[in-house]
Amino acid sequence: MKTLILGFALMAMGLSMYVQDLNPEYYLIMLWSVIGLLGGWLAVSFLKNLSISIVP
C-alpha cells in the first residue's frame, strides 16, 4: 500500500511540475509511473488474497 501511495504522490508531483513549466526530468516521471503502477498491482493482488476468518 505504501508503494501505491508513494508512487501516485510522486506522479502527481511530476505532473504538477510539468503543468507549471518547471522542466521536470522525464525519466523520473516514467520511473515514478512504473513504481505507482507496480504498487497498484501489488496492492490489488494483496487485497484479493485476503480472507476473512471468523473464529467461534
Side-chain angles (χ1 to χ4, degrees):
M1 296 303 285
K2 184 177 179 179
T3 306
L4 170 69
I5 294 169
L6 184 61
F8 284 132
L10 290 171
M11 282 193 302
M13 182 184 71
L15 180 62
S16 174
M17 289 175 66
Y18 177 77
V19 168
Q20 296 176 11
D21 290 330
L22 295 176
N23 294 329
E25 298 184 24
Y26 297 107
Y27 69 91
L28 285 177
I29 293 175
M30 297 303 290
L31 176 66
W32 294 333
S33 298
V34 169
I35 290 172
L37 293 173
L38 179 65
W41 177 74
L42 288 172
V44 167
S45 65
F46 172 73
L47 292 174
K48 277 184 177 180
N49 290 328
L50 287 179
S51 63
I52 298 173
S53 63
I54 301 173
V55 179

